[in-house]
Amino acid sequence: MQHAQGALADPDHGYCTDDVARALLVDLLHQHELGWAAVEPSAARNVRFLDEAFDGSTGRFHNLRRSDGAWLDEPGSEDADARALLALAETIEAAPAGAVRAAAVTLLRRAFPSASRVGSLRPRATVLLACDSLSRAGMDGEVRDIYERVADDLQRSFEGCAMDDAWPWPEAVVTYENELPARALIVGGHALGRMRLVDIGLRVLDWLIDAQTTEDGQFRSVGNAGWWPRGGAMAMFDQQAISATSMLLAAESAYQATGSARYRDAMEMAYGWFLGRNDAHAWVAEPRAGAGGDGIGPAGVSLNQGAESTLMWLIALEHVRILRQRSVGSAESPREALAATR
């Protein structure tokens, strides 16, 4: 369920496809530690939810669902559409052969035509990452045209502003999950052999790292209580888990591409936000419960443990676990070490 009162799920707000897609990504990550048999029932349930969310008449996914199962939107947001596609793509890439993977392939092929219609910045970046996963999974011939087209669109979004040291950003306001487009540029540029994309992605990510690093080296994300308008001050609160994990994943892609310790340090900085290295000087994550608070406000850490926040914590945890495990005593390059887990 989307929201919680403390640690208890709040049925009044039901479910959303966004969170189920994220839960599927967590299943795929957990198989590294637990094995596929342990996570398969959860993965199957999440793929089934996405299948029920897909509306064949629109070619899009619903997003909001009441606790009694009724859908509340038609169609859902571009964000939900793109996140569902990414979760299915990563399932096709990472799940072993079997019923779950087969169901993901069938649904992905029905839903993927909608990818070409995504126009917003962050959903476009998510679609690019989905194309990259599908390409690695052996479906390059089916997705290559959209992969190239989305990469072109993303490059055009940043091309005119990327060299502006003060504001290399294509929007007038920096809002949420800002590192996602930078991550997509780095990943797509490397896979497609287009170094200009990689260069733009690194430039934008460097700007976001510098802007969100405090004087004492902690991560302070753009707050959603005002965001960061061009020429204005960056809002300090409310800081959200999605921003910390977005930074961690983008820095991971940059570390894979460059091997630079700067990006490994950025991963650790973003991870530390969950563990008390933040403006509240308090733990956002509750590791014993596998849960995460809904963010940091002026009064400190929220006691509510909603789905997005908890799943962002679990995704961050598993990516750092992989990084540390693969790096200790390994002669592999950063890209080889992290790619080997895919």
Side-chain angles (χ1 to χ4, degrees), residues 45-203:
R45 182 170 60 249
N46 289 327
V47 171
R48 185 167 61 250
F49 184 104
L50 296 182
D51 187 66
E52 292 169 357
F54 184 68
D55 182 348
S57 66
T58 63
R60 299 274 300 278
F61 290 88
H62 296 285
N63 189 29
L64 302 176
R65 193 177 199 179
R66 286 199 318 234
S67 55
D68 65 4
W71 294 102
L72 300 176
D73 59 344
E74 187 176 350
S77 66
E78 285 191 345
D79 273 325
D81 234 36
R83 287 189 179 120
L85 292 174
L86 177 60
L88 292 169
E90 293 206 10
T91 301
I92 293 166
E93 181 188 1
V100 173
R101 188 181 187 279
V105 170
T106 299
L107 179 55
L108 187 283
R109 284 181 168 144
R110 294 175 63 207
F112 196 71
S114 68
S116 64
R117 302 194 295 269
V118 170
S120 301
L121 182 64
R122 290 161 186 79
R124 188 182 296 148
T126 303
V127 166
L128 189 148
L129 293 172
C131 290
D132 188 67
S133 281
L134 292 169
S135 180
R136 288 196 304 269
M139 296 176 65
D140 187 68
E142 297 182 51
V143 304
R144 188 71 175 197
D145 286 348
I146 290 180
Y147 196 170
E148 294 276 7
R149 193 183 321 154
V150 173
D152 288 341
D153 290 342
L154 203 59
Q155 179 173 350
R156 279 192 292 270
S157 295
F158 283 91
E159 195 70 70
C161 63
M163 301 309 293
D164 183 347
D165 291 336
W167 196 261
W169 193 251
E171 300 170 323
V173 181
V174 172
T175 56
Y176 72 99
E177 206 173 11
N178 303 300
E179 297 78 13
L180 173 60
R183 176 189 174 199
L185 286 164
I186 295 165
V187 169
H190 192 278
L192 297 171
R194 295 168 57 172
M195 294 312 297
R196 175 61 178 163
L197 290 179
V198 177
D199 290 344
I200 293 173
L202 292 174
R203 186 177 181 85

